[in-house]
Amino acid sequence: MRIGIYPGSFDPITNGHLDIIERGRKLFDKLYIVLSINPNKKTLFTLDERIALLKEVTKEFDNVDIATTDKLTVDCAKELGASFMLRGLRAVTDFEYELQINLFNKALNNDIETIFIMSANEYNFLSSSSVKEVALFGGDISKFVPKCVETAIHEKINK
Ligand code: ADP
């Protein structure tokens, strides 16, 4: 079985992530979206809220599951039986960071291969933080996130 993991914060999931999941899942028999349990990282959405949104937007994808980990990503991959790690690459900005973590992960576990998928043109500029920022200043985010995520962001920031 070809198993992959797609690790990230997903705070919250955007159409950019979703595009990588839709395209990436075709490469694997099973793709786990992996959220790190990191109490030191400040997020807008709690772990449970991020999981609920991920479940909602990936419910049609029969080979996609959600997992969490409090360990190193490569150790989590091993536990899930995954030999591949999926990452999205936007323009040039992600390259240096991704190169660095890829080299690090390789040093930690050389058996896990990272697969990069280039962002679609329309999502090249899109990040969870920019969506949150735009929403905070009252901008329209409907083009950037699924409907349920848009509603959840508005509920959060209007609290
Ligand atoms: P992290 O906290 O590790 O940056 P994210 O949840 O922001 O995690 O992103 C997870 C992965 O999805 C990363 O590989 C990131 O480059 C990728 N990604 C995020 N937004 C986009 C996008 N708009 N298009 C393509 N890939 C993206």
Side-chain angles (χ1 to χ4, degrees):
M1 242 220 332
R2 195 176 279 264
I3 304 174
I5 64 165
Y6 179 38
S9 319
F10 306 102
D11 184 43
I13 181 161
T14 68
N15 288 341
H17 294 126
L18 202 53
D19 179 53
I20 298 296
I21 295 165
E22 277 188 272
R23 290 153 68 203
R25 78 186 188 95
K26 296 178 190 139
L27 304 172
F28 308 106
D29 298 305
K30 181 110 205 159
L31 178 64
Y32 290 99
I33 303 170
V34 173
L35 287 121
S36 281
I37 304 169
N38 182 352
N40 296 324
K41 198 162 176 181
K42 221 176 131 9
T43 54
L44 179 66
F45 290 94
T46 65
L47 184 69
D48 287 344
E49 288 168 340
R50 285 178 282 148
I51 292 172
L53 290 172
L54 278 165
K55 279 199 173 138
E56 175 63 25
V57 301
T58 60
K59 64 177 182 225
E60 312 277 299
F61 305 153
D62 52 4
N63 65 336
V64 175
D65 254 330
I66 323 291
T68 58
T69 186
D70 57 1
K71 304 203 175 87
L72 284 170
T73 315
V74 285
D75 292 339
C76 167
K78 206 171 160 194
E79 270 179 22
L80 292 168
S83 311
F84 303 95
M85 186 150 16
L86 179 65
R87 297 290 288 175
L89 267 188
R90 283 161 293 191
V92 285
T93 43
D94 284 332
F95 183 78
E96 224 169 279
Y97 173 71
E98 292 292 338
L99 177 70
Q100 192 192 347
I101 50 171
N102 179 242
L103 293 174
F104 223 97
N105 284 333
K106 273 276 171 210
L108 292 166
N109 186 340
N110 200 25
D111 296 333
I112 315 272
E113 203 56 65
T114 305
I115 312 282
F116 294 100
I117 292 190
M118 297 295 291
S119 165
N121 248 343
E122 62 267 42
Y123 302 135
N124 228 320
F125 57 92
L126 185 56
S127 66
S128 299
S129 38
S130 56
V131 167
K132 286 181 280 191
E133 189 102 348
V134 170
L136 202 58
F137 288 101
D140 179 9
I141 55 167
S142 59
K143 276 204 289 258
F144 310 131
V145 289
K147 187 77 203 159
C148 62
V149 176
E150 184 188 357
T151 308
I153 292 180
H154 286 310
E155 276 170 10
K156 256 302 169 204
I157 60 179
N158 291 329
K159 253 184 199 166

